[in-house]
Amino acid sequence: MDMQEQLRRMEEEAQSELSRIADRAGLDALRLKMLGKKGELTQLLRSMGQLPAQERPQAGQMINAVRERLTAKMDELESRIRKMERQKKLEREAIDVTEPRAHTPIGTAHPISLVQDQLLKVFTGMGFDVVEGPEVELDMFNFELLNLPKNHPARDAQDTFYIEENIVLRTHTSPVQARTMLSRKPPIRIVCPGRVYRADEVDATHSPVFHQMEGLVIDEDVTMADLKGTLDAFAKALYGEGVTTRFRPSFFPFTEPSAEVDLTCMNCHGKGCRVCKGTGWIEVLGAGMVNPKVLDMCGIDSKKYSGFAFGVGLERIVMLRYGITDMRALYEGDVRFLSQFRED
């Protein structure tokens, strides 16, 4: 078989294969078969050395002509395949803008944050400023300036995380009150929200990390009646007009006199039930008149000024409000539990 006939058959076979190819893989295989380093046309070019010298130029022209025609056909087919693939990709990735979108879960504020925000709204509405302070605190601010000197027995009620001898994780937000009294002159009216730490065992009602909000008012002629009125207004704003407060004598080193403050049981409205253990009251917070020693240590004239302070555990308010019986549920991050408290 002469070279011309061989080239004709090779081109016809390649054209026939091209007509059946519908994807890039098939085209690449044919290109490699015909035009690759070991392809049929390449092998034919290499065999030209066996021809007489006078026939080689013509043979080279014929082989190159076939190569050019096949290359053009392959390039044309490649262009069509690319357009077809692009069209399929567009159809596959098309977005129907009229189709309702899939529901995206939307988060909500944590119940502690919800209650804290509500309390802050109540107290700022009464004219209180919101002040925050460090959670890693000096012993002086956490205890000593609050009439709790070193080795004072009242410290035993607050099992403390010590970082160094005089550095602690704050056990209450009261250090913010001490810092404020040292940096401001009366009148002072502040609330101090934040995390606090105590070395408590974890159970249904205790945690080594919890949240408090404390309040402080200092001015001339502040009395226990002002404290009672403030807490009455707070209770009514939080639980409604039917709630009343009750003071019971207590002891706190930084207030004198001191009181435990009870609210009417929200579950039975004072009639007595399982929640309030039949008393009709629920203990919510501690309060009292600022001890004159505390005022003097913080540079405030206790003969001219008086004040009151109070502190509430936010987890307790949350548990009472939502009927939660185990504090641990607030910290476990279970979305099924937390999603119940959405407030739109």
Side-chain angles (χ1 to χ4, degrees):
M1 183 185 301
D2 62 15
M3 182 171 290
Q4 186 173 5
E5 179 64 17
Q6 188 177 357
L7 284 170
R8 184 185 65 78
R9 289 191 178 186
M10 289 173 61
E11 186 173 6
E12 286 180 356
E13 289 176 5
Q15 295 277 15
S16 177
E17 287 189 45
L18 278 171
S19 65
R20 297 193 297 271
I21 292 173
D23 56 34
R24 193 185 299 270
L27 178 60
D28 289 342
L30 179 62
R31 194 187 295 274
L32 189 65
K33 174 185 175 184
M34 298 302 299
L35 308 177
K37 289 183 179 180
K38 297 182 179 180
E40 293 180 11
L41 281 177
T42 305
Q43 294 298 321
L44 201 57
L45 274 171
R46 290 175 179 172
S47 68
M48 286 175 53
Q50 302 173 7
L51 296 175
Q54 64 272 20
E55 296 180 13
R56 293 175 191 170
Q58 184 179 4
Q61 290 176 2
M62 288 190 297
I63 294 172
N64 286 330
V66 172
R67 175 185 287 275
E68 289 175 2
R69 287 195 295 272
L70 289 179
T71 298
K73 292 287 185 181
M74 291 179 184
D75 289 346
E76 181 184 348
L77 178 59
E78 183 178 14
S79 178
R80 291 201 305 270
I81 290 174
R82 283 179 177 173
K83 289 181 181 179
M84 193 165 51
E85 288 176 345
R86 186 165 56 248
Q87 183 62 33
K88 288 181 178 178
K89 183 179 180 182
L90 290 173
E91 292 174 359
R92 186 170 63 251
E93 297 179 357
I95 298 174
D96 183 358
V97 296
T98 65
E99 182 181 359
R101 66 180 179 85
H103 173 70
T104 301
I106 300 175
T108 180
H110 192 279
I112 293 176
S113 298
L114 291 171
V115 168
Q116 176 174 292
D117 290 345
Q118 185 175 6
L119 296 189
L120 289 177
K121 185 176 180 180
V122 169
F123 285 116
T124 54
M126 295 184 196
F128 284 73
D129 295 328
V130 180
V131 182
E132 296 181 334
E135 295 178 13
V136 179
E137 189 56 275
L138 293 173
D139 184 276
M140 176 180 69
F141 293 109
N142 196 78
F143 292 122
E144 294 173 34
L145 289 175
L146 300 173
N147 199 31
L148 280 160
K150 292 185 185 300
N151 301 318
H152 192 290
R155 288 198 185 198
D156 294 341
Q158 299 185 21
D159 293 330
T160 311
F161 290 107
Y162 278 88
I163 295 176
E164 295 179 5
E165 183 179 354
N166 289 306
I167 300 178
V168 300
L169 296 182
R170 67 181 182 186
T171 58
H172 43 195
T173 56
S174 302
V176 182
Q177 299 181 26
R179 288 177 175 273
T180 302
M181 286 187 282
L182 286 168
S183 62
R184 292 191 192 181
K185 293 181 179 179
I188 295 171
R189 188 181 290 111
I190 63 168
V191 284
C192 322
R195 274 192 302 257
V196 298
Y197 306 83
R198 296 184 189 178
D200 287 337
E201 294 290 336
V202 177
D203 60 28
T205 56
H206 295 85
S207 169
V209 184
F210 56 102
H211 299 76
Q212 277 190 344
M213 183 178 296
E214 298 190 16
L216 174 70
V217 172
I218 298 175
D219 205 344
E220 296 183 37
D221 302 321
V222 174
T223 68
M224 201 79 168
D226 298 308
L227 171 60
K228 184 72 160 60
T230 299
L231 295 181
D232 277 344
F234 149 74
K236 286 179 169 54
L238 197 63
Y239 295 112
E241 290 297 322
V243 174
T244 57
T245 58
R246 180 181 74 171
F247 283 27
R248 290 180 290 106
S250 187
F251 167 77
F252 304 112
F254 36 89
T255 54
E256 180 62 39
S258 304
E260 296 286 355
V261 182
D262 303 330
L263 301 185
T264 308
C265 178
M266 287 68 73
N267 187 60
C268 66
H269 306 289
K271 297 177 181 178
C273 65
R274 179 184 60 83
V275 174
C276 63
K277 298 179 181 177
T279 65
W281 299 92
I282 293 180
E283 179 185 329
V284 173
L285 55 90
M289 301 302 294
V290 178
N291 194 311
K293 285 186 177 181
V294 173
L295 293 176
D296 290 333
M297 283 190 289
C298 292
I300 295 175
D301 186 354
S302 61
K303 294 181 180 178
K304 181 179 179 181
Y305 295 103
S306 58
F308 64 77
F310 57 86
V312 58
L314 294 183
E315 279 82 353
R316 182 151 183 78
I317 297 292
V318 171
M319 293 172 74
L320 289 172
R321 179 170 183 177
Y322 295 114
I324 299 169
T325 58
D326 194 325
M327 185 188 295
R328 289 169 291 193
L330 296 171
Y331 309 127
E332 291 172 347
D334 190 327
V335 175
R336 295 169 300 177
F337 170 78
L338 296 175
S339 61
Q340 301 176 74
F341 306 101
R342 182 182 303 279
E343 293 191 359
D344 299 320

